[in-house]
Amino acid sequence: MAVSVSVVLLLLVLAVIFLRTGGLKLSHAIVCALLGFFLAGTSMAPTIQDGLNATAGVVGSLKP
């Protein structure tokens, strides 16, 4: 749960930055958000979640 909240906050910050700099139009952001909601309702959602968790585990285990 903590990883998914962190990812959502990171993506939200990036979207706001892109919207303010003009690199992302509001219509594009809405389409991306809708795609995320539709993907969450498909059978691919657990696979995507497992992939994100595995990536977070690898990144978390790296030592600087």
Side-chain angles (χ1 to χ4, degrees), residues 6-48:
S6 299
V7 170
V8 168
L9 288 176
L10 173 67
L11 291 174
L12 179 64
V13 168
L14 288 174
V16 168
I17 290 170
F18 288 147
L19 280 170
R20 287 186 176 238
T21 60
L24 179 69
K25 296 183 179 181
L26 183 60
S27 60
H28 298 155
I30 291 171
V31 169
C32 290
L34 288 174
L35 174 63
F37 283 116
F38 284 122
L39 274 177
T42 65
S43 61
M44 287 181 55
T47 306
I48 294 169

